[in-house]
Amino acid sequence: MFEPHLHIDLVFYDRNWIAAEMQPIAPLSGCFNPERVSPSYNISDAVYGKKRFEVQAGVPMRMGMDCYAFAGTVAFPENEPTQQEWISIEDRTHYHTYWRTDLAPFEERQEFMLKSFFSTQNLARSRLVLWSNGDLSGNPIVQKYLRLFPDSFELGIVDIPTLAKGTAMEGSGLLQLNDKKAWVDGDLVRLLVIWHYGGMWIDMDMLVTRDLEPLLEHEFVTQWDCWGKVYQALNGALMHFRKHSPYLCEAFHLMATSTPPRSPSSDWGAILYLRLWRRLLAESIPPFKILPFCFSDPLACRLDNSVPDPFTPDRSDRHWAEGYGLEENGGLDRALRNIFAVHLHNRWNKQFPKDGWVERLLLRRYDERLREKLPLERAL
């Protein structure tokens, strides 16, 4: 039976702001010039090298399950052997996340992200760094994961002025962190950490659904949603760049030379990435990739193909969209296995409904996989 859906999304922009901040394309600062590229960054491989997977579809993929099906093409064949040999910490892919200790305590809801990571990733080849602006080492939940995964988990305290050294943001007065400057801990920290260490950023309000390794050959940000807002089309909640990437070098130059961000705003997030993307095109440099919305934010599309609200009880008939069910191995389950994460957009004060799809298809499986991965003496 056809169910009508109405979706209205209105966004207003100041015409003068568009003319002054978005339409002009200033030149790049030269970070891609050979003499300025870091010896730790192989531009021939990172920018121009052959890639195994395509992660940009070229169309919005608003219809049906197109986006979820496309995500399923970015996967190693099932018969391809998985590399399980443990490699040195320095050679592993570093994944980074961040929690502000002054805003809320680290509790069960935050633990779900840790469970999702350690249950889905190849721990022989990965290491998660939990960054914060305070000391989390005394937190019982954090201590548990440090004990369970001593070779794959570590803590870090963000020192923004130190991380900014050597970048165009060094010494900037915009580096001060406070509650009103969301762009500092929401955007600048992401970029500084990845610039300094390289790797993938995962926001704490995500649940990882499968191995992220197929994405690592690309440097990327993600779509904000499937609607393609003209000036806020991009998002850094899941992003990957190599250490000392010239893309990030140019991002810092853009930050340092542009009008300071509005408060509150996403000027150093969505708008920053778009402005940088256009500058790269203008100088014929291949830009970073943009992952489709559903790869990490399947809540952000049409009412008939966004995953159900994680905090609303399942429908009595456990029905999703176009006849797709919410049961195990049903339509939603298959879609979740194709994509890489579910972005919950904070909402830390909300709990997942008992026996809802998040609990059944994600949380319970995280526990099962962790029990399989851990020896008996270190079981959860």
Side-chain angles (χ1 to χ4, degrees):
M1 179 179 178
F2 173 74
E3 297 183 16
H5 296 284
L6 177 64
H7 183 110
I8 299 176
D9 191 5
L10 299 177
V11 181
F12 297 93
Y13 299 98
D14 182 87
R15 188 174 301 172
N16 294 327
W17 174 80
I18 294 173
E21 301 294 337
M22 298 306 299
Q23 291 179 342
I25 301 179
L28 296 171
S29 69
C31 293
F32 283 87
N33 294 345
E35 67 275 11
R36 290 189 58 186
V37 175
S38 168
S40 64
Y41 186 89
N42 186 336
I43 195 168
S44 296
D45 177 55
V47 179
Y48 298 101
K50 183 179 180 180
K51 303 299 189 291
R52 182 172 181 179
F53 300 113
E54 178 55 73
V55 296
Q56 292 187 155
V59 294
M61 295 191 295
R62 299 189 184 111
M63 297 176 61
M65 300 295 110
D66 292 354
C67 186
Y68 302 94
F70 180 68
T73 68
V74 188
F76 299 123
E78 291 186 5
N79 60 354
E80 181 170 307
T82 303
Q83 295 174 297
Q84 292 291 348
E85 182 179 351
W86 289 74
I87 60 178
S88 68
I89 293 174
E90 293 76 18
D91 293 333
R92 296 184 192 182
T93 299
H94 281 65
Y95 298 83
H96 306 276
T97 192
Y98 180 71
W99 185 250
R100 279 190 62 171
T101 59
D102 58 323
L103 293 185
F106 195 98
E107 298 178 329
E108 183 184 40
R109 273 292 308 280
Q110 290 71 38
E111 181 184 8
F112 290 147
M113 188 277 181
L114 301 185
K115 284 188 177 183
S116 75
F117 179 86
F118 290 114
S119 65
T120 57
Q121 302 309 296
N122 182 349
L123 301 184
R125 303 174 58 81
S126 58
R127 188 169 179 85
L128 177 66
V129 185
L130 171 57
W131 295 92
S132 64
N133 62 333
D135 187 3
L136 283 172
S137 62
N139 182 281
I141 294 175
V142 174
Q143 288 179 339
K144 177 175 68 173
Y145 285 86
L146 288 170
R147 173 178 60 84
L148 294 173
F149 304 102
D151 298 319
S152 302
F153 187 41
E154 66 177 295
L155 304 180
I157 296 179
V158 170
D159 183 334
I160 294 175
T162 298
L163 290 174
K165 288 183 178 179
T167 75
M169 289 300 292
E170 181 176 354
S172 171
L174 297 173
L175 301 181
Q176 299 302 313
L177 175 65
N178 63 47
D179 292 345
K180 295 182 179 179
K181 293 182 178 179
W183 63 78
V184 176
D185 65 315
D187 297 298
L188 182 61
V189 166
R190 296 169 175 164
L191 301 180
L192 287 174
V193 164
I194 298 178
W195 163 261
H196 201 80
Y197 297 97
M200 187 178 294
W201 184 273
I202 312 171
D203 269 7
M204 273 296 305
D205 59 347
M206 283 194 176
L207 296 177
V208 184
T209 55
R210 72 172 170 108
D211 193 347
L212 297 163
E213 188 169 357
L215 299 174
L216 294 176
E217 61 183 354
H218 296 283
E219 295 184 280
F220 64 80
V221 298
T222 63
Q223 279 184 316
W224 189 277
D225 54 35
C226 79
W227 300 106
K229 299 182 179 70
V230 177
Y231 307 113
Q232 293 175 300
L234 309 182
N235 194 331
L238 183 75
M239 63 194 308
H240 174 248
F241 288 95
R242 303 190 186 196
K243 180 179 179 179
H244 291 169
S245 170
Y247 291 118
L248 299 184
C249 172
E250 290 291 351
F252 296 133
H253 170 75
L254 203 161
M255 290 175 168
T257 58
S258 300
T259 304
R262 300 162 295 170
S263 182
S265 78
S266 59
D267 288 7
W268 275 5
I271 294 170
L272 170 72
Y273 308 136
L274 176 61
R275 295 172 70 189
L276 175 56
W277 189 81
R278 297 184 69 222
R279 290 187 180 191
L280 293 164
L281 291 181
E283 299 196 21
S284 300
I285 294 176
F288 46 83
K289 298 292 186 178
I290 302 169
L291 301 190
F293 77 96
C294 76
F295 279 38
S296 60
D297 206 342
L299 295 170
C301 198
R302 295 162 54 106
L303 296 177
D304 59 351
N305 65 2
S306 297
V307 300
D309 188 319
F311 304 103
T312 299
D314 291 351
R315 291 172 46 159
S316 58
D317 59 357
R318 288 194 169 170
H319 169 74
W320 180 26
E322 298 186 5
Y324 289 88
L326 306 187
E327 72 278 4
E328 186 173 355
N329 296 319
L332 177 61
D333 196 4
R334 295 194 299 272
L336 292 173
R337 292 173 183 176
N338 282 352
I339 64 175
F340 293 88
V342 177
H343 191 189
L344 300 169
H345 294 274
N346 295 313
R347 297 192 282 181
W348 296 109
N349 60 333
K350 292 192 174 184
Q351 301 300 316
F352 301 118
K354 183 176 177 55
D355 201 37
W357 69 266
V358 172
E359 182 178 294
R360 291 181 295 103
L361 304 181
L362 295 179
L363 300 184
R364 291 177 187 171
R365 290 178 181 172
Y366 295 155
D367 288 336
E368 292 171 2
R369 291 171 187 163
L370 287 175
R371 283 192 288 268
E372 293 172 358
K373 285 188 174 186
L374 292 168
L376 292 177
E377 66 272 16
R378 286 164 53 194
L380 285 169

